[in-house]
Amino acid sequence: MSRVDVSTHIAFLFAAELQFRLASAVDIAVTMDKQPLDLPLQWSHGKHLVRYQEVALRKDQARFAAWNMHRTSTFLMAVAVKDAIKAAVPDPKNAKDSDVRAAYQVARLIRNAFAHNPFSPVWSIDPDCRNQTFKVRDIISLDTTNLQGATFDWRHYGGPLALLRLCRYVRFEILKDPKRKREIIPMPMNIYFQQGNLLVTPKKKSVAKDES
C-alpha cells in the first residue's frame, strides 16, 4: 500500500475516533441536561426550507438521539478499522500475525451486524468464523460461540472503549502513525466519573444512563 493510502486511512481512523469522542461528550451533556438543543428558527438549504417547529427536539428525543449517535459512532470506528486493515494487509483473514487477523475479524463482524440492521443489529457470523475466539492482546476479544443470529450486545466484545482502543491499535501499530505529543486541553467545566453507563458527579446525585 502506498504512503498516500496509509495517510488516508490514518486520517479516517482518527476521524472515526474524534466522532466517537464528540458523541461521548454530547451523550453526557444531554444526559445531564447541559446540552443546548437550539436549532434555527428558519433553515434553508438548496431549494428546501424548514422552520423550527419541524426540526426542534424534545428532551426525551434528544436523549434517544444522543444515545443512538454514540452507539453508531462505535460502528463507524469498526468500519474504519476493517477498511484500514484490508488496505494495509494482504489477505488479512489469513495474516500471520494473530492480532492483526483477530482485529480484522472483530471489526468486520461488528460492521456486518450494524450494516444489516443499524437500529437493531444482529450478529451474522460466517460459518468459518463460528465457535472461535478472536482476541487482540488485552484490547478486545470476541467469542463467536452461539452468536449467529443473536442480538448484538456490547458485552460480547467488551464495549465502546474496547473499540476505541482497537482503533488506536490499528492506527499506531499496524499503520504506524507516529505518536505526537498531545496538546494541553483545559480541564472540563463539569466533573464526571463514568463506570459503564453510570455517571457519577462529586457531591451530586448519580445518573444512570440507558443501557446500550
Side-chain angles (χ1 to χ4, degrees):
M1 184 169 68
S2 70
R3 187 64 218 174
V4 173
D5 290 334
V6 170
S7 299
T8 297
H9 281 283
I10 286 173
F12 289 164
L13 287 165
F14 187 52
E17 178 188 324
L18 290 179
Q19 185 77 4
F20 171 78
R21 289 157 61 182
L22 178 62
S24 300
V26 171
D27 191 27
I28 289 175
V30 170
T31 298
M32 303 307 293
D33 200 20
K34 295 183 180 296
Q35 173 65 47
L37 300 178
D38 299 331
L39 284 162
L41 290 180
Q42 182 173 295
W43 177 14
S44 63
H45 196 283
K47 66 177 183 179
H48 295 285
L49 182 146
V50 294
R51 301 186 187 283
Y52 178 76
Q53 291 78 4
E54 297 178 69
V55 292
L57 286 163
R58 301 193 310 264
K59 288 184 178 181
D60 61 314
Q61 293 174 329
R63 284 287 303 276
F64 174 75
W67 169 83
N68 198 55
M69 181 173 69
H70 187 258
R71 193 184 202 197
T72 54
S73 71
T74 66
F75 160 57
L76 184 62
M77 286 193 291
V79 172
V81 165
K82 177 192 74 70
D83 290 346
I85 296 175
K86 189 174 182 179
V89 180
D91 192 14
K93 285 187 176 182
N94 299 300
K96 293 182 179 180
D97 189 321
S98 61
D99 284 333
V100 173
R101 191 166 62 247
Y104 177 73
Q105 292 287 30
V106 170
R108 186 180 68 85
L109 292 171
I110 291 175
R111 176 264 181 200
N112 288 349
F114 273 93
H116 294 162
N117 193 342
F119 292 103
S120 183
V122 172
W123 288 108
S124 178
I125 311 295
D126 304 284
D128 62 346
C129 293
R130 296 173 189 175
N131 303 314
Q132 296 186 48
T133 297
F134 298 104
K135 180 179 175 61
V136 182
R137 302 183 182 180
D138 61 348
I139 297 171
I140 197 168
S141 179
L142 175 65
D143 182 356
T144 64
T145 304
N146 298 323
L147 281 191
Q148 170 60 18
T151 300
F152 184 90
D153 192 309
W154 69 265
R155 297 169 185 83
H156 294 145
Y157 62 92
L161 295 184
L163 269 178
L164 175 64
R165 293 299 185 197
L166 181 65
C167 190
R168 290 178 172 174
Y169 163 77
V170 172
R171 182 157 63 94
F172 292 122
E173 301 297 327
I174 297 180
L175 271 61
K176 306 300 182 184
D177 186 21
K179 291 186 178 181
R180 304 167 183 83
K181 185 177 180 181
R182 294 185 67 116
E183 295 183 16
I184 297 175
I185 300 176
M187 290 295 290
M189 293 179 60
N190 302 293
I191 304 300
Y192 305 115
F193 295 93
Q194 185 168 349
Q195 183 174 7
N197 289 315
L198 180 67
L199 282 174
V200 178
T201 57
K203 297 182 179 180
K204 295 181 180 179
K205 65 179 181 180
S206 300
V207 176
K209 296 165 61 182
D210 294 336
E211 288 288 336
S212 60

